[in-house]
Amino acid sequence: MKEMDCVEVIVEKECYAKEGVHKGMQGWICDPNSIDGSWLVNFPQYGEKKDIAAIDIEETDLKLVPRMEAKKNERIRALFSE
């Protein structure tokens, strides 16, 4: 993986959920360096809305995706807001 890659979270973890990030959400790697096997990933919302989070995610908890879908993040976030 490298900076600017689009990724998806493939596991649900409490440490991610505390920051509003859940399995299936997509983001982009926003730092060129991996630290201890983790990447800093930004999880945006669609349009001009505030980003959900920018947090460290373990590489083993991510998969590469060809393009990011911010609207998917909003749908997943809504499921956990109910």
Side-chain angles (χ1 to χ4, degrees):
M1 293 187 181
K2 63 187 183 313
E3 184 179 25
M4 301 301 291
D5 276 351
C6 294
V7 293
E8 181 175 312
V9 179
I10 59 173
V11 296
E12 182 72 22
K13 285 190 173 177
E14 186 176 339
C15 58
Y16 304 154
K18 285 181 181 179
E19 301 295 330
V21 176
H22 301 279
K23 180 180 178 180
M25 285 188 166
Q26 297 180 348
W28 59 281
I29 296 175
C30 56
D31 190 299
N33 301 306
S34 169
I35 298 175
D36 295 327
S38 294
W39 293 95
L40 182 62
V41 181
N42 178 276
F43 294 90
Q45 294 190 84
Y46 186 74
E48 299 297 317
K49 297 175 188 166
K50 183 179 172 188
D51 293 340
I52 294 168
I55 62 171
D56 290 325
I57 304 283
E58 293 178 36
E59 185 167 337
T60 55
D61 296 343
L62 296 169
K63 74 173 183 179
L64 290 170
V65 293
R67 67 184 180 107
M68 184 181 54
E69 297 180 42
K71 286 185 178 182
K72 182 176 183 180
N73 293 347
E74 292 181 28
R75 289 192 302 269
I76 293 169
R77 186 178 194 186
L79 293 173
F80 287 90
S81 297
E82 296 175 345

